[in-house]
Amino acid sequence: MNDCIFCKIIKGEIPSYKIYEDEFVYAFLDIACDSYGHTLVIPKKHCTNVLDVDQDYLVACIKAVQKISKHYVDDCGFEGVNILNASGKCAGQSVFHLHFHIVPRKSSDGMDLWPLKDKYQIDLADVCKKLAL
Ligand code: AMP
Ligand code: ZN
């Protein structure tokens, strides 16, 4: 895709801070600087999100997510990670080339990536009846 900023990053037309790369995947630091080490993992073949990605590329992305996450925990002093993905504008996706966010975590970092902890009155049996495959 000519106008896709992540495709441009893969091609080196836009600079990025590379964390990891293999045949299928590129990973780099998120420019947001909203947490230390916030990383994006993207497939080298353009797709919009998890709804249209080729399964081979999806598997490669998830493998890379695990590899990088283990590196952050085993070698870089983090204790865990949050893995985030937005698929669709309604879900908060702002760049329409599939990407997984890795947010390296420490228990002392003070971040709360799950702020909506209210319990709703939801009939789980009814939800299951409507949503189960
Ligand atoms: P999302 O809102 O889930 O689609 O995430 C898109 C992410 O891409 C945001 O966290 C942005 O900070 C990040 N981003 C946008 N442009 C760049 C760029 N040129 N380099 C690195 N990260 C970027
Ligand atoms: Zn793209």
Side-chain angles (χ1 to χ4, degrees):
M1 290 260 298
N2 287 339
D3 57 348
C4 171
I5 55 169
F6 286 179
C7 282
K8 287 183 178 166
I9 284 174
I10 291 164
K11 286 187 262 176
E13 294 170 8
I14 293 177
S16 65
Y17 290 97
K18 181 170 91 172
I19 294 292
Y20 172 76
E21 180 175 18
D22 63 30
E23 189 185 345
F24 297 101
V25 167
Y26 188 78
F28 56 106
L29 293 178
D30 192 302
I31 207 171
C33 292
D34 49 2
S35 67
Y36 192 98
H38 183 172
T39 301
L40 299 175
V41 178
I42 64 176
K44 285 187 171 174
K45 181 178 172 192
H46 181 88
C47 62
T48 306
N49 56 40
V50 296
L51 301 173
D52 67 343
V53 61
D54 281 359
Q55 289 194 348
D56 287 348
Y57 281 87
L58 180 60
V59 168
C61 282
I62 292 298
K63 283 183 174 174
V65 164
Q66 184 189 44
K67 189 181 187 80
I68 295 162
S69 298
K70 283 171 75 71
H71 168 60
Y72 286 167
V73 170
D74 293 346
D75 309 324
C76 303
F78 293 98
E79 297 163 34
V81 294
N82 285 109
I83 310 299
L84 302 160
N85 166 261
S87 286
K89 196 174 173 195
C90 65
Q93 185 174 7
S94 62
V95 175
F96 293 90
H97 179 130
L98 172 64
H99 50 283
F100 292 93
H101 299 255
I102 303 174
V103 181
R105 299 298 307 271
K106 291 181 183 176
S107 44
S108 59
D109 65 28
M111 289 191 288
D112 184 0
L113 275 66
W114 304 98
L116 299 174
K117 293 199 173 81
D118 288 341
K119 294 229 182 275
Y120 299 101
Q121 292 297 323
I122 293 175
D123 181 342
L124 294 182
D126 181 57
V127 175
C128 186
K129 204 161 70 185
K130 287 182 174 137
L131 298 186
L133 271 174

